Amino acid sequence: MNKIAPWIVLGLIAVLILMGVSSYNGLVGLSEQINGKWSQVENQLQRRSDLIPNLVNTVKGYAAHEQQAIQAVADARARLAGAPGPAAKAEANNELSGALSRLLVVAENYPDLKADKNFRALMDELSGTENRIAVARKDYNDAVQVYNTKIRSFPASLFAGMMGFSAKEYFKAEEGAKAVPQVKF
């Protein structure tokens, strides 16, 4: 029996090492998947950000005296471009969405602008981009959920902390997004 005990100990050590390597590789894969999904969110945010100057310039041509709404969009776009990390990007994205909404309210006051083919084309592009952003955010949040679940589950939780893996942040909706908007005629 004394000859078997060292082999049992070595077998247990080998199993622990294999579990550690497997957990590490799985967590690295999930972390990289999150990074890829986040890149897609950033790509779509950049796409929207690139469309905005054209939209602003189109509105400027029709509504030159609406400078405050136009400037708010430009400022929010700049904040989004400089925001680091998911939480700051989410907050800057919410600001930009609000500024765009206010700009579109201004556009409603100009029937000629709404009829302009460039404005309509830009609005279609912007609408499509907003949908792409929503899909990219969902994909990112799904990947974060899988990763966060993995690092909190046994046995990966034993290795995750030791290997420097920590929970990732979700891309969250702005406060008040759940409230039903009021439509008044």
Side-chain angles (χ1 to χ4, degrees):
M1 214 185 261
N2 285 341
K3 293 181 180 181
I4 297 176
W7 289 107
I8 292 173
V9 170
L10 284 175
L12 288 173
I13 290 172
V15 166
L16 287 174
I17 289 173
L18 287 174
M19 283 176 52
V21 168
S22 176
S23 289
Y24 179 80
N25 289 339
L27 291 172
V28 166
L30 291 173
S31 181
E32 285 304 311
Q33 185 177 17
I34 289 171
N35 292 340
K37 300 289 184 184
W38 179 247
S39 292
Q40 287 305 312
V41 170
E42 287 186 323
N43 285 342
Q44 297 309 321
L45 291 174
Q46 184 62 49
R47 176 184 163 87
R48 181 177 61 175
S49 189
D50 292 343
L51 286 171
I52 289 172
N54 295 329
L55 182 65
V56 167
N57 287 333
T58 303
V59 172
K60 269 185 190 178
Y62 285 89
H65 62 283
E66 302 286 358
Q67 189 60 34
Q68 186 177 6
I70 293 168
Q71 188 61 44
V73 170
D75 292 345
R77 180 178 176 261
R79 278 191 288 282
L80 179 62
K89 287 263 188 205
E91 185 177 327
N93 177 58
N94 293 336
E95 279 184 47
L96 181 57
S97 293
L100 278 173
S101 295
R102 290 187 297 279
L103 183 67
L104 296 179
V105 167
V106 167
E108 288 293 319
N109 296 328
Y110 297 91
D112 292 340
L113 173 61
K114 290 191 314 186
D116 183 79
K117 69 179 181 176
N118 290 332
F119 180 77
R120 285 191 322 239
L122 286 168
M123 289 307 301
D124 288 345
E125 283 289 322
L126 191 59
S127 177
T129 300
E130 292 294 337
N131 291 336
R132 288 182 180 126
I133 290 170
V135 169
R137 283 175 57 172
K138 181 196 174 304
D139 290 347
Y140 170 78
N141 283 341
D142 288 348
V144 169
Q145 180 184 17
V146 169
Y147 172 82
N148 286 347
T149 300
K150 178 78 171 180
I151 66 168
R152 294 179 63 206
S153 300
F154 185 81
S157 62
L158 298 174
F159 302 105
M162 290 188 296
M163 294 184 243
F165 292 97
S166 60
K168 302 280 187 177
E169 291 181 51
Y170 288 97
F171 196 112
K172 295 179 182 162
E174 65 182 290
E175 287 296 318
K178 295 177 184 173
V180 178
Q182 293 184 353
V183 178
K184 296 180 182 177
F185 294 101

